[in-house]
Amino acid sequence: MRINTNYQNLEQSYLFANINRKVAEFTAANPDKSIIRMGIGDVTLPLVPVVVEALHKGVDEMSKKETFHGYGPEQGYDFLRQRVKEYYEKIGVQIDLNEIFISDGAKSDVGNILDLFDKDNTVLVPDPVYPVYVDTNTMDGRKIVFMEANEANGFLPLPDEGVQADIIYLCSPNNPTGAVYNREQLKAWVDYANKQQAIILFDSAYESFVATEDLPRSIFEIEGARTCAIEFCSLSKTAGFTGTRCGYTVVPKDLGPLNTMWLRRQTTKFNGVSYIVQRGAAEVFTDEGIRQTRENLAYYMRNAKVIADTLDELGIWYTGGQNSPYIWLKCPNGMKSWDFFDFLLEKAGIVGTPGAGFGTQGEGYFRLTAFGNYENTVEAMRRLKELL
Ligand code: MLT
């Protein structure tokens, strides 16, 4: 037996596991200190009523012989895929039912999709970046090329014709920076990818936060994307499914063999999302489901405004917080990311995510999430003002 030695090239632990460990150590040493978590982007509001009702019905069905479900289709039940298709139609995007694959979330699919690609491909990722893109390719030993996302380009790097890439990762609205590509910028990426015969792996997990008219929510709103892009979506943030687990991935048939290869991969290695969860997920896309989940998103965006207003007041540079639940700020007084993490935790009991954890270009920056409860967010910002 020989182990996959590529694992030796990974950071010792996953970023958020690392933060959890640090916070656990701090709370063990300071049991009376009140901690406000604004680190990992985990939702705090419960599932909306239409989803809960559908989940209950799903359980009832599973409890009766006549309506019981065993193995389901690996790519998801048609009743849910049909709803996803209609959701895309609302933004003018036409997708075939068999281009939609239901999954247990975007994170898993973003990693699993790499089964379809040779290890010799060159991967292009922005820096800073959601660590999963880098870690999953490191596990496979692929060559990774980084493109700088920085204040000068608004944390939205554009293609460089001089750089050759086979697999390109884009995330918009972006995790961690909250920056959002407009149509022209995404079109530049689509043209570049088609020219290079590259594939864009487009992480659209935060699409439902886009509120500004005319910002794209799907890469398939861009002409030419069907021949160069796969899109990953998730109900985690859209509908509070971080613990329930459901997402969907769109693999266009215009991508040559990739659609059938993904089906082959999923039918072999995946048994689908549970019937009960898919019943709940299907309600997210109904008019009432959209209305109820958008109420939750508005709650989070109110938190984002509280954070943004505080940073404005303190004169701290930031991006995000609009069309995104993440606020990406410059650490005050030239502090380094992990130093600011320790400083905030120790002096104010606030947990955030150090920008350096998302890549070298993230050094000196810090990410706060708007997914907490309102009162805690207000209190955290009061503490921040007092501290700074
Ligand atoms: C984050 O905080 O970056 C996200 O919650 C991580 C994830 O969605 O996997």
Side-chain angles (χ1 to χ4, degrees), residues 14 16 39-42 107 130 175 206 237 326 358 367:
Y14 184 59
F16 295 106
I40 191 161
D42 196 3
K107 176 174 165 180
Y130 179 43
N175 180 14
Y206 299 91
K237 316 294 156 78
Y326 294 124
F358 296 102
R367 194 193 75 176

Side-chain angles (χ1 to χ4, degrees), residues 148-157 317 361 365:
E148 280 186 22
N150 49 36
E151 274 177 60
N153 60 25
F155 287 94
L156 294 167
W317 185 95
Q361 294 299 311
Y365 293 89

Side-chain angles (χ1 to χ4, degrees), residues 322-369:
Q322 276 184 347
N323 303 302
S324 162
Y326 294 124
I327 286 106
W328 178 254
L329 60 106
K330 198 165 185 164
C331 301
N333 308 320
M335 277 178 117
K336 291 189 154 202
S337 303
W338 280 103
D339 292 342
F340 189 55
F341 174 88
D342 290 335
F343 176 72
L344 270 193
L345 180 59
E346 281 161 24
K347 304 278 184 234
I350 301 170
V351 180
T353 310
F358 296 102
T360 55
Q361 294 299 311
E363 181 57 276
Y365 293 89
F366 201 75
R367 194 193 75 176
L368 292 175
T369 95

Side-chain angles (χ1 to χ4, degrees), residues 187-206:
K187 178 73 174 131
W189 275 112
V190 165
D191 290 347
Y192 168 84
N194 277 321
K195 199 160 141 202
Q196 299 246 357
Q197 297 191 313
I199 185 103
I200 296 174
L201 301 181
F202 191 76
D203 185 343
S204 198
Y206 299 91

